[in-house]
Amino acid sequence: MNYPYVTEFRQSLVDWFNAEKRDLPWRHTTDPYKIWVSEVMLQQTRVDTVIPYYNRFMESFPTLDLLAEAPQEYLLKHWEGLGYYSRARNLQAGAREVLENYGGVVPDNRHEISKLKGVGPYTAGAILSIAYNKPEHAVDGNVMRVLSRVLDIHDDIAMPKTKKVFEVAVEKLIDPEHASSFNQGLMELGALICTPTSPKCLLCPVREYCTAFNEGEPDKLPVKSKKIKMKHLTYDVLVCEDENGRFLMQQRPEKGLLANLWQFPMIDTSQSTVENFKKEFTVNVHAEHELLTFKHVFSHLTWHINSYYMKCESFAQGDWLSREQIERLPMPVPMLKIWEEVKK
DNA sequence: AAACCGGGGAT
DNA sequence: ATCCCAGGTTT
């Protein structure tokens, strides 16, 4: 963009944002803690999905102190179904760091705020600009898409080094007096107008300054390579209920996929069998029938699940829990689907 | 740089 | 069936 038009670009974007912005729960505050929570929830997650989670979260954890002292299981229950559960643990770890190292005040500079667990370059810039109105870049997928079109940048956004190109661009473009509205305006534009497919250029407040609109092909941007190979895993899931109406539950390891979440026992059918499971847990099965058979698709792998209900005799080993106890445990969506079926 | 980490909505 | 979303951490 030619330098003389930067001022007009800023004003058009900021004015459009302030006139057209959606009414979202986290836009009723500039509390850095609440902005922080919203930004973490919004990582890789759509606005409509986040809204009910954010509202419930703020009812239970209205202050940074209350989040810091919350039991992890109670915290994860609030994140259940949202995905990327390490976000919740990192958020709490970050809150505890703020209490210990910064007197409970979220830092207002990139150097310190970036030290907090779970706060990377994007989230740092988002909190600094939205809560403190600091002119800091906050480059996410929306911003890269919008600016790739405005500036006609053809670098492959799948490559990590490309993000630096956009961070430098934002540093030059950002409105130093209205950093909050400018950064949110870029993201709002990406969400409402400058969409991945079929961008609504005729409604765009900055199309006058958009190189791709005037000289290029907005639909062809951004350039993004990369393709992923999907892995497939097949599991037998066993819902074992004993004579007292208690169910055998397992907690997943503290690292890796779905860390610390709870599940009904899962058997990797390429590693073991249901018969081995029965011996290992010395479970006597009185009756059994099939529950659900379905697949659950993650971003990088697919679970093929066959679930079974088994009426058992319980023995000492394992966690046999009541329905009420199970309801309080954080579980991944596939287990929630099975649990709903069991309750029918 | 690449792999890992959830889930759902849009196309 | 495919893409991708208000990304960060680990290897």
Side-chain angles (χ1 to χ4, degrees):
Chain A
M1 185 182 314
N2 293 329
Y3 177 75
Y5 293 108
V6 170
T7 302
E8 296 174 32
F9 173 82
R10 289 171 180 162
Q11 185 163 349
S12 297
L13 181 64
V14 168
D15 288 350
W16 173 81
F17 175 73
N18 287 319
E20 303 293 339
K21 64 184 175 186
R22 291 167 291 177
D23 180 18
L24 303 174
W26 45 90
R27 288 183 175 162
H28 294 251
T29 182
T30 56
D31 179 345
Y33 161 68
K34 295 182 177 179
I35 300 299
W36 184 5
V37 172
S38 72
E39 289 301 333
V40 172
M41 285 188 170
L42 286 163
Q43 290 168 9
Q44 300 300 108
T45 310
R46 284 181 170 70
V47 167
D48 290 344
T49 303
V50 166
I51 289 173
Y53 282 90
Y54 175 85
N55 288 332
R56 190 162 54 249
F57 198 95
M58 282 308 157
E59 288 175 13
S60 296
F61 313 113
T63 67
L64 187 143
D65 305 68
L66 288 170
L67 172 60
E69 65 189 28
Q72 189 184 94
E73 191 170 284
Y74 184 59
L75 168 63
L76 285 175
K77 193 66 185 172
H78 286 72
W79 215 269
E80 184 183 76
L82 203 48
Y84 288 103
Y85 299 94
S86 63
R87 290 185 292 173
R89 291 196 308 276
N90 289 341
L91 178 60
Q92 184 178 47
R96 290 172 176 171
E97 292 174 45
V98 169
L99 279 182
E100 290 185 14
N101 302 332
Y102 303 104
V105 179
V106 178
D108 67 350
N109 62 84
R110 189 176 284 274
H111 176 69
E112 289 180 327
I113 202 171
S114 295
K115 293 179 181 174
L116 300 174
K117 199 78 173 174
V119 177
Y122 165 76
T123 307
I127 298 171
L128 293 174
S129 61
I130 297 172
Y132 293 118
N133 203 29
K134 301 269 186 178
E136 296 281 347
H137 61 77
V139 174
D140 66 353
N142 271 326
V143 171
M144 287 196 284
R145 184 174 59 258
V146 170
L147 291 187
S148 73
R149 291 167 177 171
V150 171
L151 302 175
D152 202 33
I153 294 172
H154 288 252
D155 300 54
D156 182 358
I157 67 168
M159 297 177 64
K161 66 178 183 182
T162 300
K163 195 168 70 172
K164 183 67 181 177
V165 174
F166 290 95
E167 289 172 349
V168 170
V170 171
E171 287 173 359
K172 294 178 181 175
L173 292 176
I174 192 168
D175 187 332
E177 304 296 322
H178 308 96
S180 175
S181 294
F182 182 92
N183 276 347
Q184 291 187 82
L186 283 180
M187 293 186 274
E188 193 78 343
L189 197 61
L192 300 181
I193 305 291
C194 199
T195 47
T197 59
S198 308
K200 303 168 183 61
C201 296
L202 295 181
L203 298 177
C204 180
V206 296
R207 69 170 187 264
E208 181 180 350
Y209 316 103
C210 180
T211 306
F213 175 72
N214 290 302
E215 306 174 18
E217 300 174 285
D219 279 294
K220 299 288 177 59
L221 291 171
V223 176
K224 184 178 175 66
S225 67
K226 199 178 188 179
K227 51 189 75 173
I228 49 173
K229 43 189 173 184
M230 185 76 73
K231 291 180 180 176
H232 294 259
L233 293 173
T234 302
Y235 291 97
D236 288 332
V237 174
L238 307 180
V239 180
C240 304
E241 181 177 18
D242 70 7
E243 57 277 83
N244 299 317
R246 294 175 184 272
F247 296 83
L248 181 57
M249 300 296 293
Q250 295 177 337
Q251 187 172 26
R252 296 180 62 87
E254 62 181 67
K255 287 187 176 293
L257 181 66
L258 302 169
N260 286 354
L261 272 65
W262 288 77
Q263 63 187 23
F264 301 106
M266 289 178 70
I267 299 166
D268 182 341
T269 56
S270 70
Q271 302 286 326
S272 187
T273 65
V274 175
E275 295 309 314
N276 284 342
F277 168 84
K278 290 177 182 174
K279 289 179 183 174
E280 184 182 340
F281 282 82
T282 57
V283 172
N284 281 327
V285 180
H286 294 272
E288 67 177 271
H289 62 82
E290 290 189 20
L291 288 169
L292 299 174
T293 295
F294 61 95
K295 68 177 180 180
H296 184 78
V297 181
F298 297 91
S299 54
H300 57 303
L301 64 90
T302 300
W303 281 359
H304 298 265
I305 291 181
N306 303 301
S307 59
Y308 304 90
Y309 172 85
M310 296 183 174
K311 191 71 176 180
C312 305
E313 289 177 18
S314 64
F315 291 83
Q317 58 267 54
D319 293 312
W320 293 83
L321 304 179
S322 69
R323 289 175 182 249
E324 293 72 23
Q325 290 173 306
I326 291 170
E327 297 280 346
R328 281 186 232 109
L329 298 179
M331 293 193 288
V333 165
M335 294 299 155
L336 292 173
K337 286 172 68 173
I338 295 171
W339 181 235
E340 288 304 313
E341 184 68 17
V342 170
K343 287 196 292 184
K344 285 181 182 176

